[in-house]
């Protein structure tokens, strides 16, 4: 038995060693492998993207690493990531689905093929024009920003943790879009839903869940996976109840939000005899989950980064407030003001660039074999576009590691778009919530800066204000989840002007 085991192990190691490049097949190079663990021991498990950045300097902009037994190709630098995701959108545009994901091939984020196409298109159409047109969403964000201001005011300038109210405000935007209504911040139904979504996202980044993604056969012994599942089940139960309530009061002539629109579409298809469409209950549940997971922690984390950076760089905050005061005064901030607030817009963009909250995008998968920049990448290979390497690309940004809003301004102070600005990724899988997120960031950030001044907590110097991101081992979704956030808020007063 022992002999057989040794033979099996040897066979495994041999089959697992890096494939030799052949004349017609140049596999991307990569660091030395260890049996079973691949390159795991060489990675900084807290910030794997940092190690990958270092690897890219040694192995080039297309290289291979092994996450445990899983072969992964990494794309680094603006030119390479753009060429792959935009010029070869089809080949690089599939999703690699992780073990932890339930409801495989349903919804948007973790599906492929027809399901993905239909669900993504339907969500985009609804976000854009189906009764939830831009103005409607804009009004909802404005309304929500007032609730947020009221919460901030209650602290009367005392230091407090901004994360919960910001999470609630941002989650309410998704609630308005999905269910057609917002919730009060003290509604237990709402708070439990938001808290569960956050906890689930935190767990998704824990080493045990990551281990489960890499070695599913040992994953069943890990407690976190159970908690993850429990949270998902509770979310599903709550959503089922909400969907039932919406079904009972459904008026096809007046859709209140995404769920209504989905139910109407399902009904219409069933009435015309189509019973096997993708507009079914599982896809409804999963797409709603994706909109919440994709659209809450991302936007709220970015907003908190924005406030933290304002506390860290008070002179830049002065400039934002001077511009907002001069252009808008105490009038209501609206999306149309963005073009007149180039400095503020540049600060928001620079926040997203530097915060780099999803450094490795989500895992992509090759839909077919390709020879890319001289390297052979096989159909089915997992590919991570290293967004950090684009957002910090030395060839694209004058000061890649500093907070420097001038990256987005020309010499006359006008806002300039930058192609290497890819926090939402690019190509076929580009974030479908980009338009909504940008609107939220602009209105929430500008309105908060119009009403408050953000400073560091007492006893903490500017230098001490910690900008080091805390990340989980999130090879799935390298989302920076928390950081120093205690901030004092002081009221400011905008000058009076006639508002249009
Ligand atoms: C996917 C970033 C807000 C929904 C993604 C991806 C990134 C991203 C990097 C992965 C793209 C890829 O695989 O290459 C962000 C950032 C946000 C944000 C930085 C805010 C600051 C939102 C919002 C929503 C949303 C507001 C929804 C309302 C999604 C969905 C996907 C996705 C559904 C999966 C897309 C697909 O697989 O086709 N996002 N996102 N995101 N995001 Fe966002």
């Amino acid at each position: 038995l022992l002999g057989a085991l040794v033979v099996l192990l040897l066979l495994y190691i041999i089959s697992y060693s890096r494939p030799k490049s052949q004349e017609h097949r140049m596999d991307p190079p990569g660091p030395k492998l260890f049996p079973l663990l691949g390159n795991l021991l060489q990675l900084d498990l807290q910030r794997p993207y940092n190690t990958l950045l270092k690897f890219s300097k040694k192995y080039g902009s297309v290289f291979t690493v092994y996450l445990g037994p899983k072969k992964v190709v990494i794309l680094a630098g603006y030119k390479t990531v753009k060429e792959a995701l935009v010029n070869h959108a089809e080949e690089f545009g599939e999703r690699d689905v992780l073990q932890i994901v339930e409801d495989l091939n349903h919804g948007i984020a973790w599906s492929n093929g027809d399901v993905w196409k239909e669900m993504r298109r339907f969500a985009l159409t609804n976000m854009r024009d189906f009764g939830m047109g831009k103005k409607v969403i804009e009004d909802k964000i404005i309304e929500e920003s007032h609730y947020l201001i009221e919460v901030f005011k209650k602290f009367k300038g005392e230091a407090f943790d901004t994360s919960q109210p910001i999470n609630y405000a941002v989650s309410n935007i998704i609630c308005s879009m999905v269910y057609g209504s917002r919730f009060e911040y003290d509604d237990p139904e709402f708070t439990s839903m938001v808290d569960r979504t956050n906890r689930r996202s935190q767990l998704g980044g824990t080493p045990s869940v990551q281990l489960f993604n890499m070695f599913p056969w040992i994953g069943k012994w890990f407690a976190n996976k159970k908690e993850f599942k429990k949270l998902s089940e509770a979310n599903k139960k709550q959503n089922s109840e909400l969907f039932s309530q919406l079904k009972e009061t459904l008026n096809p002539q007046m859709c209140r939000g995404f769920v209504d629109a989905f139910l109407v579409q399902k009904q219409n298809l069933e009435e015309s005899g189509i019973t096997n469409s993708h507009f079914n209950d599982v896809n409804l549940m999963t797409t709603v989950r994706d909109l919440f997971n994709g659209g809450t922690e991302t936007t709220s984390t970015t907003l908190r980064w924005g406030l933290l950076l304002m506390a860290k760089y008070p002179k830049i905050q002065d400039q934002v407030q001077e511009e907002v005061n001069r252009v808008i005064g105490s009038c209501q901030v609206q999306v149309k003001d963005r073009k007149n607030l180039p400095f503020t817009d540049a600060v928001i963009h620079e926040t997203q660039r530097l915060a780099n909250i999803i450094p490795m995008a989500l895992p992509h998968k090759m839909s077919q074999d390709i020879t890319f920049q001289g390297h052979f990448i096989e159909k089915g290979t997992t590919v991570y576009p290293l967004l950090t390497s684009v957002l910090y690309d030395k060839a694209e940004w004058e000061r890649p590691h500093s907070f420097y809003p001038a990256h987005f301004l020309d010499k006359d102070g006008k806002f300039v778009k930058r192609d290497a600005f890819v926090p939402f990724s690019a190509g076929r899988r580009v974030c479908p919530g980009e338009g909504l997120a940008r609107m939220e960031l602009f209105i929430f950030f500008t309105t908060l800066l119009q009403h408050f001044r953000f400073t560091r907590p007492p006893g903490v110097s500017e230098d001490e204000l910690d900008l080091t991101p805390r990340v989980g081992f999130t090879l799935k979704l390298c989302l920076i989840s928390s950081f120093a956030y205690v901030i004092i808020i002081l009221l400011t007063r905008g000058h009076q002007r006639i508002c249009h």
Side-chain angles (χ1 to χ4, degrees):
L1 183 70
L2 191 66
L5 276 176
V6 170
V7 171
L8 273 176
L9 187 67
L10 280 175
L11 281 174
Y12 176 75
I13 292 172
I14 291 164
S15 66
Y16 184 61
S17 62
R18 191 177 294 289
K20 301 271 177 302
S21 295
Q22 294 161 12
E23 218 180 307
H24 60 287
R25 209 191 118 142
M26 291 291 286
D27 292 297
K32 191 176 172 318
L33 290 177
F34 292 92
L36 200 64
L37 295 174
N39 298 114
L40 278 184
L41 296 177
Q42 292 131 293
L43 287 177
D44 168 354
L45 299 187
Q46 284 300 309
R47 297 182 188 84
Y49 55 92
N50 278 346
T51 319
L52 296 175
L53 267 180
K54 280 187 201 136
F55 283 167
S56 72
K57 305 222 160 68
K58 187 159 178 197
Y59 301 104
S61 54
V62 184
F63 61 95
T64 315
V65 289
Y66 280 77
L67 307 178
K70 196 176 175 86
K71 176 183 174 179
V72 169
V73 169
I74 307 289
L75 305 172
Y78 168 63
K79 285 208 172 90
T80 298
V81 170
K82 187 181 165 215
E83 188 185 338
L85 299 191
V86 179
N87 303 358
H88 295 281
E90 282 292 315
E91 296 95 318
F92 284 89
E94 292 236 316
R95 177 68 73 222
D96 187 38
V97 181
L98 298 163
Q99 288 292 332
I100 194 73
V101 177
E102 303 116 359
D103 301 319
L104 284 187
N105 215 22
H106 287 101
I108 307 173
W110 303 105
S111 65
N112 285 306
D114 290 345
V115 177
W116 169 74
K117 244 185 228 158
E118 261 196 274
M119 292 304 114
R120 183 176 161 111
R121 198 186 306 134
F122 192 73
L124 274 169
T125 314
N126 274 279
M127 279 197 255
R128 256 183 254 159
D129 25 68
F130 198 134
M132 299 298 296
K134 282 192 175 143
K135 191 67 193 140
V136 183
I137 292 268
E138 181 179 351
D139 289 345
K140 303 255 183 204
I141 302 169
I142 289 173
E143 184 193 357
E144 202 60 47
S145 69
H146 291 297
Y147 286 106
L148 188 58
I149 286 169
E150 288 314 308
V151 176
F152 277 28
K153 273 185 182 165
K154 281 194 189 134
F155 290 91
K156 297 192 173 122
E158 289 291 316
F160 73 100
D161 177 356
T162 56
S163 47
Q164 201 173 56
I166 289 183
N167 275 344
Y168 289 166
V170 168
S171 298
N172 250 339
I173 300 303
I174 305 292
C175 287
S176 299
M177 186 181 79
V178 170
Y179 310 121
S181 57
R182 67 177 295 281
F183 291 80
E184 293 302 327
Y185 294 171
D186 57 1
D187 180 338
E189 195 182 3
F190 174 65
T191 54
S192 61
M193 177 166 70
V194 177
D195 296 345
R196 269 199 307 266
T197 305
N198 279 341
R199 175 74 187 134
R200 205 174 159 277
S201 154
Q202 267 171 14
L203 280 178
T206 55
S208 73
V209 171
Q210 298 301 337
L211 268 177
F212 173 66
N213 284 331
M214 284 181 256
F215 305 98
W217 31 276
I218 50 169
K220 53 182 180 238
W221 290 299
F222 291 103
N224 273 351
K225 155 96 169 80
K226 283 192 198 131
E227 193 189 344
F228 191 89
K229 235 188 144 58
K230 237 168 106 180
L231 293 165
S232 306
E233 289 308 319
N235 272 353
K236 277 189 190 171
K237 189 166 172 280
Q238 190 175 17
N239 262 329
S240 288
E241 284 159 17
L242 284 166
F243 295 168
S244 299
Q245 287 163 21
L246 289 169
K247 240 183 229 172
E248 278 165 23
T249 49
L250 185 66
N251 173 2
Q253 315 309 326
M254 231 178 64
C255 286
R256 291 159 292 192
F258 177 84
V259 175
D260 279 10
F262 195 103
L263 292 172
V264 171
Q265 177 83 346
K266 181 170 177 271
Q267 233 172 39
N268 289 345
L269 288 167
E270 281 166 2
E271 275 164 21
S272 50
I274 303 168
T275 49
N276 60 348
S277 87
H278 298 310
F279 286 85
N280 54 38
D281 291 343
V282 189
N283 273 328
L284 172 60
M285 185 67 79
T286 320
T287 305
V288 165
R289 175 203 69 189
D290 288 348
L291 294 176
F292 270 97
N293 287 350
T296 50
E297 204 192 340
T298 45
T299 315
S300 62
T301 302
T302 309
L303 256 177
R304 287 160 58 213
W305 268 110
L307 303 186
L308 182 68
L309 287 162
M310 291 302 92
K312 175 90 177 165
Y313 301 106
K315 287 199 183 104
I316 295 181
Q317 185 173 191
D318 288 344
Q319 281 174 274
V320 173
Q321 291 188 318
E322 185 283 319
E323 186 183 66
V324 173
N325 209 17
R326 174 167 40 82
V327 177
I328 308 185
S330 54
C331 298
Q332 175 58 56
V333 178
Q334 296 175 60
V335 170
K336 68 178 166 59
D337 298 318
R338 191 200 295 258
K339 60 181 181 310
N340 300 319
L341 296 168
F343 188 79
T344 308
D345 204 8
V347 164
I348 296 171
H349 279 74
E350 182 65 354
T351 299
Q352 281 204 271
R353 186 193 69 78
L354 193 71
N356 170 39
I357 66 163
I358 311 185
M360 295 165 68
L362 299 182
H364 287 229
K365 191 172 72 176
M366 298 308 299
S367 66
Q368 49 189 280
D369 289 354
I370 192 174
T371 299
F372 179 72
Q373 297 191 349
H375 304 288
F376 177 76
I377 312 177
E378 202 176 358
K379 176 179 174 174
T381 306
T382 305
V383 174
Y384 278 94
L386 194 57
L387 299 183
T388 312
S389 67
V390 185
L391 294 170
Y392 294 177
D393 190 333
K394 267 197 275 182
E396 299 296 321
W397 308 99
E398 203 182 324
R399 300 187 195 174
H401 298 283
S402 307
F403 184 59
Y404 187 58
H407 282 141
F408 295 91
L409 294 167
D410 68 10
K411 60 179 180 1
D412 301 320
K414 290 210 179 83
F415 180 81
V416 277
K417 272 191 181 168
R418 301 290 306 271
D419 287 346
F421 177 73
V422 291
F424 298 100
S425 191
R428 220 170 157 235
R429 288 284 178 164
V430 66
C431 173
E434 174 172 355
L436 174 64
R438 281 165 45 78
M439 204 186 268
E440 288 184 69
L441 291 175
F442 178 72
I443 293 180
F444 280 131
F445 180 79
T446 313
T447 309
L448 287 173
L449 270 278
Q450 187 186 33
H451 286 80
F452 305 108
R453 182 155 183 91
F454 295 84
T455 70
R456 53 194 189 276
V460 177
S461 72
E462 264 163 47
D463 290 342
E464 281 167 344
L465 202 57
D466 189 10
L467 292 186
T468 315
R470 257 201 270 151
V471 289
F473 177 34
T474 49
L475 289 170
K476 163 179 86 82
L477 175 88
C478 224
L479 177 69
I480 288 157
S481 52
S482 58
F483 44 86
Y485 44 64
V486 187
I487 289 168
I488 291 192
I489 294 175
L490 300 171
L491 284 175
T492 59
R493 225 175 280 126
H495 70 252
Q496 293 301 312
R497 52 183 289 138
I498 298 163
C499 308
H500 298 284

